[in-house]
Amino acid sequence: MTDTKARDYGETLFLPKTEFPMRAGLPQKEPEILARWQTLDLYGRLRAAAKGRPRFVLHDGPPYANGNIHIGHALNKILKDVVTRSQQMLGFDSNYVPGWDCHGLPIEWKIEEDNYRVKGKQKPDFANPAALVEFRKECRAFAAHWIDVQREEFKRLGVIGDWAHPYTTMEPFAEAQIARELMKFAANGTLYRGSKPVMWSVVEKTALAEAEVEYEDYVSDTVWVKFPVRWIVSDGPDVSPLHIEINELAKSKTAVVIWTTTPWTIPGNRAVSFSPKIEYGVYQVVDAPSDNWAKVGDRFLLADKLAIDVFRQARVTAYKRLKTISTAVLAQMTCSHPLESFDPRYGFAVPLLAGDHVTDDAGTGFVHTAPGHGREDFELWISNAAKLSARHIDTWIPYTVDADGRFTEYAPGFEGRRVLTDKGEKGDANEAVIKALIDAGMLLARGRLKHQYPHSWRSKKPVIFRNTPQWFIAMDKDIAKHGDTLRHRALEAIKVTRWVPAQGENRINGMIEGRPDWVISRQRAWGVPITVFIKEKPDGSVDMLDEPDVNVRIIEAFETEGADAWYKPGARERFLGKLAKDAWQKVDDIVDVWFDSGSTHAFVLEDPAHFPAFAGMKRKSDGGPDAVMYLEGSDQHRGWFQSSLLESCGTRGRAPFDVVLTHGFVLDENGRKMSKSLGNVTAPQDVMKQSGADILRMWVCAADYADDLRIGPEILKTTVDTYRKLRNTLRWMLGNLAHFHAADRIAPDKMPELERLMLHRLAELDPIVRQAYADFDYKRIFAVLNAFMTVDLSAFYFDIRKDALYCDPYSSTTRKACLTVLDHLFRATVIWLAPMLCFTADEAWLARDPAAPSVHLEQFPTVPQAWRDDALAEKWRKLRDLRRVVTGALELERAAKRLGSALEAAPVIFVADPDLFATAVEFDLAELCITSAATLVEGDGPNSAFRLDDVPSVAVEPRRAEGRKCARSWKVSASVGLDPQFPDVTPRDAQALREWEAMRAAAE
């Protein structure tokens, strides 16, 4: 007999062994993994492995090369990386080329501030070509610096891509292609210079696109202004009844009243708008204070619904309605300009025009219309131009405000007054106009209103609408045939694009349907120039030079020198050649940066010389297998998605993308916008330094990115806790797989039911995970994998099988079957997690097989659907319910200190359901419930037994196990001591010990 009294059986157990640490240490480990990927050339290996597969290309929406990345960048780039990695694992050649947007005002501002203002230096004179080119070089160097900084920060997030060969909009070949794209619009006739009101930043001295404007609270001056009805002179005996009615209104000195929040636009007024859907009436003042602007007897034309509010604002204490005025009368009516007596140059007729934008929700029911200061005003004026001309009304739109926000000579009497100052503050224009209206007796009331007003998203200062010569791309001009407009092309392209989430289609569709012509010009220095030569025409329009040789010289110069070539001394003569003797002028405006980024598809996806990985790509729309995705924040429906759509549709007749995915914005834990002043900013650099990039990646993948995401200390703490549980699940599998040998693999049909249940779960999860990755539904993947690994595996399967794995004999079929299943589980879960937790998955993969290159070179595993067994799953669902009742009963016993561990228990389990009893009787319930013994009894059980409301057919009576405690497995059993060789263990453990000793002897 072997002396076992003092023996430590620990060495005989098959306990987990792994170097995969419990504490992740991600901030230190992740850079090591990044270095390994670099040494391995993981990106190159991925490309080689995927060669010949259908391509899935995520075309990078370029971030701006200006400053460190923020949490929004992290969200965006992590999502892109999960897409790229998962599509590669789904069997595509998923290539990601990162890019940067480099031109534009923010960099220009930064150079002006840091290199000139702070140093007390004079800003360069851009009229000097050499100075302008030098300034552009400073901008280029600034962008290059931040590209390098951001590149390292993006790589630290675990983003895989061609970081050695990114694209930038400031590369010479890129600037050349942007110029080519612009020339295509000139060639198809959609590029034109027009006079149009644009949103203008006085602070930045440039026109702004809609995407560059945000709405903020602003306090505006408001005025109610009188427009006296004009007489109509009719010749001949047949005078129209409408004209008679209008003349009666003029004779009684009736005035149309408008309300506006921009008094400074009154000098630009050319019409008054009304709505045929609104009921109007003539009202007379009956009583009012003697010092009032509205006098007793005054008559006003107002919308009936708004009359009471107008008179309240005008301090009128009594009034009466005299008559109804039909919209047919209004359509024939003209008024005098309210400033006519202030300056006779306002002595023109002001027509009334029907407009769909007029409502009776607020104001007077009439809208002051200044076509040089508003989009709707402009469109209404232009749409009525022919009719107005027939009425001998001049349709010319004056330039009343200049680039500095000052009134011009076309605002008589107000020349030099400022709407806004250089700092974006209110100038003196409003008060000057209001005073003139008071002096002219045309002001009815004034006030102030706090409302949402457009501001530049860069300067955060208010903008104005002003009429300016700008370059546009027409949305509604026929291109190849009648009806083939840019708007039509874009709307058709939207229909054949996959939008994720689906509501993105409605959003961008509405934007395209209602958008005006695309303003593409900016009056700045750092960007790609509008490469056209023009001749001014007397009416303010221009002729554009159409000369292929000139265009070739421009492109060739750009390809070698970049767009700086346009601004170098002698550029005009260089490009025009023999045409330089003519009066062609070189345009020095730059294109909107949205046109830059909207053209990136042309010099990345369609330029095999610079990006050979995309050579031969054939999209599904062309009958090929390849697809292109664009992925950005939801604000890009009005930004990059739209500019790319319009650019490609205008030049190629289709969208540049097949799939568009949008995500929300990042807020703090309380749903507030992040702000340094609030101290609620979460910086990705801090999270990576403290917890690791995989924590950020888990946060992204666990959230619903279609909505706004929240982040903060408590959310990150929860994420870390969840990560720790998943990591420990992987660690436990790795520890046990140290004892697995491929030769011991057990076939599924030879496995116990519990193992076959786990294989069923893998077969059940496989299509869910694959489909969710195909649908970009990462929150679903994370949810099902997290539940599977923490509930099905750790809390159930592993819990039950610990005894067999640790204590069963080496030859045990159950033990070998479990190890076989663990091998399948580990492989599937790690690969499924790899796109999301790229560092942890690779670390675990290498811990399993140090010779393996990387988990990221794997494809998603093919899980045999033959493993699926729904009948078995239903059987085990019932058994797990039974197990929950036993667990609940034992927890109460432990809480009352009547039991220590579950192995001290031998519960009696009463089952009243015959079907469940028939199922349960086939199983080792002690093994299922992790007790030393268990007794199954058919019936309801005593009233004192423990029950759960949702499992009414099961009752449990806890009892202590009888016998001795096994010194090896700690089970309490009457069989301990039956084996004379090992009297302090159960026979099962005695057999395990004999095999273990035989193995040790063989090894010696």
Side-chain angles (χ1 to χ4, degrees):
M1 181 186 297
T2 304
D3 182 7
T4 60
K5 290 183 180 179
R7 183 168 183 180
D8 178 9
Y9 287 118
E11 64 174 349
T12 72
L13 300 173
F14 297 104
L15 295 176
K17 295 189 298 184
T18 179
E19 294 183 0
F20 186 74
M22 181 182 297
R23 294 182 63 85
L26 293 177
Q28 295 76 40
K29 186 66 177 179
E30 288 172 345
E32 296 175 7
I33 296 174
L34 284 172
R36 185 178 182 278
W37 290 348
Q38 180 72 24
T39 303
L40 183 68
D41 186 19
L42 179 58
Y43 174 79
R45 289 202 179 195
L46 285 166
R47 300 285 64 75
K51 189 174 183 180
R53 298 181 195 167
R55 292 183 175 102
F56 186 96
V57 178
L58 196 158
H59 180 46
D60 196 19
Y64 200 63
N66 180 22
N68 296 97
I69 68 169
H70 53 67
I71 195 66
H73 286 121
L75 164 64
N76 178 264
K77 281 296 195 260
I78 288 170
L79 274 176
K80 288 176 177 176
D81 191 55
V82 176
V83 168
T84 301
R85 291 178 185 273
S86 59
Q87 292 296 316
Q88 180 87 8
M89 288 182 156
L90 281 168
F92 293 96
D93 179 359
S94 185
N95 188 7
Y96 173 66
V97 175
W100 275 273
D101 208 351
C102 304
H103 297 129
L105 190 60
I107 288 178
E108 198 169 326
W109 262 20
K110 194 67 177 173
I111 297 303
E112 289 180 9
E113 179 68 25
D114 293 352
N115 294 10
Y116 295 92
R117 293 192 191 100
V118 171
K119 298 177 180 178
K121 294 169 61 178
Q122 184 69 31
K123 177 184 171 181
D125 178 8
F126 292 160
N128 179 344
L132 176 54
V133 171
E134 189 60 35
F135 180 82
R136 287 171 59 87
K137 287 181 180 177
E138 293 179 85
C139 293
R140 192 179 301 276
F142 180 89
H145 163 74
W146 283 108
I147 286 172
D148 287 341
V149 172
Q150 291 185 2
R151 178 182 1 227
E152 294 308 309
E153 291 178 324
F154 288 141
K155 288 166 67 175
R156 180 63 187 85
L157 290 168
V159 180
I160 193 78
D162 195 358
W163 294 108
H165 306 98
Y167 79 83
T168 76
T169 57
M170 67 180 185
E171 288 285 347
F173 71 86
E175 293 182 331
Q177 188 61 40
I178 293 168
R180 276 197 196 94
E181 297 301 305
L182 186 69
M183 291 172 182
K184 292 176 184 178
F185 283 100
N188 68 25
T190 54
L191 177 69
Y192 71 95
R193 199 190 79 169
S195 164
K196 196 168 186 178
V198 296
M199 285 183 282
W200 182 268
S201 171
V202 173
V203 176
E204 300 158 74
K205 301 292 188 296
T206 189
L208 301 179
E210 293 175 32
E212 297 173 294
V213 171
E214 57 192 12
Y215 287 79
E216 303 288 348
D217 284 342
Y218 187 73
V219 178
S220 293
D221 295 303
T222 58
V223 289
W224 286 257
V225 181
K226 298 183 282 186
F227 283 69
V229 177
R230 273 194 166 200
W231 286 81
I232 292 180
V233 179
S234 300
D235 296 327
D238 298 324
V239 179
S240 164
L242 296 179
H243 289 183
I244 293 172
E245 187 171 358
I246 291 169
N247 285 340
E248 288 176 352
L249 293 171
K251 183 178 179 181
S252 63
K253 297 183 179 179
T254 301
V256 173
V257 180
I258 66 90
W259 171 76
T260 181
T261 59
T262 54
W264 62 269
T265 61
I266 294 293
N269 175 275
R270 292 299 182 270
V272 171
S273 303
F274 68 94
S275 171
K277 300 176 182 178
I278 294 176
E279 295 180 355
Y280 295 94
V282 176
Y283 292 81
Q284 183 173 337
V285 177
V286 174
D287 189 34
S290 59
D291 62 344
N292 217 28
W293 287 325
K295 305 298 184 183
V296 174
D298 284 353
R299 294 188 179 191
F300 304 117
L301 229 172
L302 301 165
D304 290 337
K305 184 179 176 182
L306 296 167
I308 185 172
D309 183 60
V310 173
F311 286 125
R312 185 184 299 115
Q313 297 293 338
R315 298 193 302 148
V316 171
T317 52
Y319 61 90
K320 62 181 178 181
R321 188 180 191 276
L322 300 179
K323 60 183 295 187
T324 296
I325 296 295
S326 70
T327 55
V329 170
L330 296 178
Q332 295 293 316
M333 187 184 295
T334 60
C335 294
S336 296
H337 196 285
L339 293 172
E340 182 175 1
S341 64
F342 168 74
D343 191 302
R345 285 174 288 183
Y346 294 102
F348 47 80
V350 177
L352 270 70
L353 303 175
D356 293 335
H357 64 293
V358 183
T359 70
D360 56 3
D361 294 335
T364 68
F366 293 99
V367 174
H368 146 61
T369 301
H373 297 298
R375 174 187 159 191
E376 290 171 326
D377 300 30
F378 174 83
E379 291 176 349
L380 183 64
W381 184 256
I382 293 301
S383 66
N384 284 277
K387 294 178 182 178
L388 292 170
S389 295
R391 294 169 66 182
H392 307 293
I393 293 173
D394 186 1
T395 58
W396 179 71
I397 302 172
Y399 297 99
T400 54
V401 178
D402 68 13
D404 294 325
R406 296 181 188 275
F407 277 131
T408 68
E409 68 272 20
Y410 297 111
F414 303 104
E415 296 91 332
R417 300 284 190 175
R418 300 199 70 165
V419 180
L420 294 173
T421 69
D422 290 335
K423 295 183 179 179
E425 297 169 352
K426 285 183 182 178
D428 55 358
N430 262 357
E431 285 303 321
V433 172
I434 291 171
K435 183 179 184 302
L437 289 169
I438 294 171
D439 293 345
M442 292 295 130
L443 194 67
L444 183 62
R446 68 177 296 182
R448 290 195 168 185
L449 176 70
K450 185 177 182 180
H451 64 137
Q452 291 280 292
Y453 186 84
H455 286 62
S456 166
W457 72 352
R458 296 188 183 93
S459 67
K460 308 301 180 185
K461 298 297 183 181
V463 301
I464 60 174
F465 277 92
R466 62 176 285 263
N467 196 32
T468 60
Q470 295 290 341
W471 288 91
F472 299 85
I473 291 175
M475 292 294 296
D476 298 307
K477 187 178 187 303
D478 289 342
I479 300 174
K481 60 183 179 180
H482 179 66
D484 178 33
T485 65
L486 179 53
R487 192 186 311 276
H488 174 75
R489 288 182 176 186
L491 291 172
E492 290 302 306
I494 289 169
K495 294 177 185 177
V496 297
T497 299
R498 179 184 176 190
W499 300 89
V500 183
Q503 57 264 36
E505 179 174 356
N506 291 334
R507 185 174 186 190
I508 194 167
N509 199 75
M511 290 177 173
I512 294 296
E513 282 181 336
R515 75 155 293 144
D517 287 353
W518 185 5
V519 187
I520 65 159
S521 52
R522 296 291 180 271
Q523 290 68 49
R524 302 303 297 183
W526 176 228
V528 177
I530 294 177
T531 49
V532 297
F533 290 92
I534 61 170
K535 284 183 181 178
E536 298 278 356
K537 297 168 71 174
D539 63 357
S541 63
V542 297
D543 285 327
M544 279 188 287
L545 177 63
D546 180 12
E547 178 53 59
D549 289 345
V550 172
N551 291 344
V552 168
R553 285 194 287 271
I554 293 169
I555 297 303
E556 287 178 348
F558 278 27
E559 286 179 333
T560 56
E561 305 166 43
D564 289 354
W566 188 257
Y567 299 101
K568 290 179 178 178
R572 177 184 177 275
E573 292 71 22
R574 174 187 183 184
F575 296 132
L576 285 173
K578 63 183 180 181
L579 297 175
K581 64 181 184 298
D582 297 334
W584 293 107
Q585 302 172 36
K586 180 167 67 76
V587 174
D588 285 332
D589 286 356
I590 64 170
V591 294
D592 171 22
V593 291
W594 292 113
F595 189 91
D596 273 21
S597 58
S599 302
T600 56
H601 66 94
F603 60 82
V604 178
L605 304 181
E606 300 174 13
D607 186 352
H610 292 95
F611 299 98
F614 299 131
M617 191 166 72
K618 190 174 184 181
R619 288 169 54 193
K620 291 178 181 177
S621 55
D622 297 324
D626 304 328
V628 175
M629 168 186 265
Y630 279 33
L631 185 162
E632 298 300 329
S634 56
D635 58 333
Q636 295 308 312
H637 286 110
R638 66 171 186 168
W640 188 55
F641 297 153
Q642 191 170 147
S643 66
S644 299
L645 175 68
L646 295 179
E647 201 290 322
S648 184
C649 284
T651 56
R652 291 152 177 80
R654 62 180 185 185
F657 40 66
D658 303 289
V659 185
V660 175
L661 184 148
T662 54
H663 59 77
F665 300 101
V666 183
L667 308 173
D668 76 359
E669 289 180 315
N670 299 311
R672 298 176 302 174
K673 186 176 180 180
M674 290 190 187
S675 166
K676 289 182 180 178
S677 61
L678 293 175
N680 63 344
V681 174
T682 297
Q685 296 85 350
D686 294 340
V687 178
M688 289 188 287
K689 184 177 180 180
Q690 181 176 347
S691 302
D694 263 359
I695 299 304
L696 277 176
R697 295 177 70 99
M698 177 178 281
W699 162 73
V700 169
C701 295
D704 182 1
Y705 63 73
D707 201 355
D708 290 341
L709 287 76
R710 298 187 180 191
I711 194 171
E714 290 304 312
I715 289 174
L716 286 171
K717 181 180 177 182
T718 300
T719 305
V720 168
D721 288 343
T722 303
Y723 171 83
R724 186 178 297 115
K725 292 175 183 177
L726 289 180
R727 184 180 181 88
N728 284 341
T729 300
L730 295 176
R731 184 173 184 270
W732 192 87
M733 285 193 282
L734 281 167
N736 285 283
L737 285 169
H739 305 292
F740 175 67
H741 302 286
D744 293 333
R745 191 179 296 275
I746 301 295
D749 61 340
K750 305 296 184 184
M751 291 180 179
E753 280 197 2
L754 183 55
E755 275 60 44
R756 287 193 281 118
L757 175 67
M758 291 301 105
L759 295 182
H760 162 83
R761 288 291 290 128
L762 283 180
E764 196 173 41
L765 286 172
D766 177 54
I768 295 174
V769 171
R770 284 177 175 274
Q771 189 60 52
Y773 269 125
D775 292 340
F776 317 106
D777 190 355
Y778 308 125
K779 70 180 185 304
R780 186 181 186 204
I781 300 167
F782 184 81
V784 297
L785 289 184
N786 185 43
F788 176 61
M789 294 177 71
T790 57
V791 179
D792 287 359
L793 297 186
S794 290
F796 176 66
Y797 180 57
F798 296 171
D799 209 26
I800 292 173
R801 280 296 183 240
K802 283 177 182 176
D803 177 70
L805 283 172
Y806 300 170
C807 303
D808 267 13
Y810 181 84
S811 62
S812 164
T813 299
T814 298
R815 176 180 165 278
K816 291 180 179 180
C818 181
L819 288 172
T820 302
V821 168
L822 286 183
D823 184 54
H824 291 304
L825 288 170
F826 177 82
R827 178 176 174 79
T829 55
V830 172
I831 295 177
W832 285 340
L833 285 171
M836 298 186 289
L837 303 182
C838 64
F839 292 108
T840 302
D842 215 30
E843 181 188 3
W845 194 257
L846 294 174
R848 176 85 173 92
D849 181 5
S854 173
V855 69
H856 301 294
L857 292 168
E858 300 291 327
Q859 294 190 50
F860 288 131
T862 301
V863 178
Q865 284 304 297
W867 290 354
R868 184 148 185 169
D869 189 337
D870 292 331
L872 179 69
E874 175 59 21
K875 180 191 296 187
W876 275 87
R877 183 192 64 77
K878 296 176 182 178
L879 290 172
R880 290 180 74 168
D881 283 344
L882 181 151
R883 183 176 187 265
R884 282 195 297 114
V885 184
V886 175
T887 301
L890 298 185
E891 284 175 354
L892 290 180
E893 294 301 298
R894 282 197 294 268
K897 308 295 185 185
R898 291 189 290 268
L899 279 179
S901 75
L903 289 177
E904 296 177 12
V908 178
I909 305 168
F910 299 90
V911 176
D913 182 343
D915 291 338
L916 177 57
F917 182 84
T919 298
V921 78
E922 298 176 7
F923 286 88
D924 183 345
L925 296 184
E927 179 184 74
L928 176 69
C929 301
I930 319 175
T931 57
S932 288
T935 302
L936 180 65
V937 179
E938 188 171 13
D940 292 330
N943 292 334
S944 59
F946 177 84
R947 292 173 172 83
L948 291 177
D949 291 341
D950 61 332
V951 193
S953 65
V954 177
V956 175
E957 198 172 64
R959 295 183 185 176
R960 293 190 68 86
E962 297 179 354
R964 294 166 55 197
K965 181 177 181 180
C966 175
R968 185 168 180 269
S969 66
W970 297 1
K971 285 186 176 181
V972 176
S973 172
S975 67
V976 173
L978 293 181
D979 191 303
Q981 186 179 0
F982 300 100
D984 54 351
V985 300
T986 66
R988 185 274 309 257
D989 289 273
Q991 177 60 28
L993 288 169
R994 274 188 285 273
E995 290 189 17
W996 182 85
E997 289 188 345
M999 290 170 60
R1000 185 175 65 173
E1004 294 174 351

